[in-house]
Amino acid sequence: MEAASHLAGGFGEPAVQSARAFRACLQALARPGRVQELAGANPPAPLSTAAGTLLLTLVDHATPLFLAPSHDLPAVRSWIAFHCGAPLVAAEAAVFALGTWEALQPCDRFDTGTPDYPDRAATLIVEMAALNPANARLTGPGIEATAAARLPDVAAFRQNRSRFPLGFDCFLTVGTAVAGLPRSTVVEAL
Amino acid sequence: MTGYTFAYLDETTKRMIRRAILKGIAVPGYQVPFASREMPMPYGWGTGGVQVTAACLTPEDRLKVIDQGADDTTNAVSIRKFFERTAGVATTTRTAEATLIQTRHRIPEEPLTEAQILVYQVPIPEPLRFLEPRESETRRMHALEEYGLMHVKLYEDIARHGAIATAYAYPVRVEGRYMMDPSPIPKFDNPKLSQNAAIQLFGAGREQRIYALPPYTDVVSLDFEDHPFEPTRAEHACALCGACDSYLDEVLTDDDGGRMFVCSDTDFCTRRRDDGHPGRRGTDPTT
């Protein structure tokens, strides 16, 4: 049973579940600071439900994935190999990256796109311990006045914003919750 | 809906489109290239919008499709039927009841809410295309924020016609960065692009581009200090509902030059008539 555990934990109804999951991801990234519910996958530890669901929804053979040391474990590798089929690569070549914020450092090695193609930047899936209390004030597209969020590192996101339209985009995950932080968001410490 | 996967497209295609939409949200106004698929309808009928809608739909959605504001024209009816058959979603013609609205060339009159997504069908996504035909050049112009060419074009409009003659697909600047084509909506609708509560997604199928405006994004129509942007409409009241603040279509009614102006947004017009606002022609348009 142990050997086949990576076969379990995917979507039972992929088309419908991934559609609902995408809408949560879309709302999260389009409205920074608003936490969305994201569930459906049952991935192996230490992957959170939200991070696993996000992988099933967005990651496949066309998106090289970087596993930070916190998540570079045999169980996670084989679960991703079976359910997503994403090639595992070094951080510099990754379209998606997964791990805790500490394990993802240094974050300036991720692809931030090119001036001609800023869309070719990496997307980071950052596993958090919690999404509150807030430690940053957010302004920018998607936010009516201001929003508050818990970020793993305020200075790094300020630097990321300074490169706009280049920069990486983040999903912050814990349990079944996801928050988005696109590169367009202006971050200030609270 | 047996024989189809939910919402027609296969899962690999949807993941690809979804990734493009998310990058579009992250860089508002920037056109993200995507591997547009052939759809069972011709280019020009909304293949880009249909792919974006297919990637966004969930079974819980209530879909509204409009073509130039109308729910009952061929394009709108076909696309609505397409998703009724392939996604089994509920549909509506009421703007307030819809969770996802696919539109060709109009923004509904009724203000949108945070619970809604507006998907535009876009024929030519590149605002600079008619000024510079080379994709390699326009891409570089966006990278360098080199938008002087468009201001020259608007200036030439003024020099030639005394005013900016562009009446639809009026170019905008998003968050002070990317110049964007708002699709061929009348410039009357341009102010609704800015600070909208809904997520706005743009799909161009033939040109293989997706772009997006997150909610509450600043969108400014280009103009000059001495020639400020003006959203224009026909100086009439709707003949059916009497509205003086909606965008109007001119309809010829006979061979003797008879004409009337009616709301382009059919749902808005119907609702006003239901609420007891008869226009010049009353509630019965045939009289």
Side-chain angles (χ1 to χ4, degrees), chain A residues 14-16 18-20 22-23 25-27 29-31 34 55-63 96 115-119 121-123 140-144 164-165 168-169 171 182-184, chain B residues 5-6 11-12 14-15 18-19 21-23 25-28 30 32-33 55-61 99-100 114-117 139-140 143 175 177-178 195 197-199 201 214-217:
Chain A
V16 171
S18 64
R20 292 187 187 122
F22 169 68
R23 283 288 279 275
C25 299
L26 176 64
Q27 293 291 347
L29 203 67
R31 302 178 194 278
R34 286 211 207 159
L55 289 175
L56 294 185
T57 307
L58 297 176
V59 173
D60 59 23
H61 61 89
T63 56
F96 281 86
D116 283 2
Y117 293 96
D119 57 297
T123 303
I143 303 164
E144 190 170 9
F164 188 85
F168 52 77
D169 308 303
F171 287 103
R183 67 192 87 168
S184 59
Chain B
T5 180
F6 174 76
E11 286 306 292
T12 307
K14 281 193 208 155
R15 275 193 295 272
R18 286 165 179 164
R19 290 192 294 260
I21 293 172
L22 292 176
K23 286 302 175 195
I25 287 285
V27 191
Y30 166 74
V32 183
C56 287
L57 272 183
T58 68
E60 294 77 34
D61 272 315
T99 55
L100 199 152
E114 293 198 347
Q116 295 177 312
I117 296 175
R139 183 163 291 283
R140 181 53 50 89
E175 286 282 327
R177 180 59 182 84
Y178 283 96
Q195 295 295 324
I199 295 174
L201 305 174
Y216 310 116
T217 297

Side-chain angles (χ1 to χ4, degrees), chain B residues 113-126:
Chain B
T113 67
E114 293 198 347
Q116 295 177 312
I117 296 175
L118 185 60
V119 176
Y120 295 76
Q121 302 172 196
V122 183
I124 309 284
E126 178 50 73

Side-chain angles (χ1 to χ4, degrees), chain A residues 64-69 72 87-98 103-113 120-124 168:
Chain A
L65 173 70
F66 168 69
L67 288 181
D72 194 3
L88 299 181
V89 297
E92 291 77 8
V95 171
F96 281 86
L98 169 69
L104 286 167
Q105 299 307 308
C107 62
D108 56 9
R109 60 190 161 152
F110 293 106
D111 196 346
T112 55
R120 293 180 183 174
T123 303
L124 313 188
F168 52 77

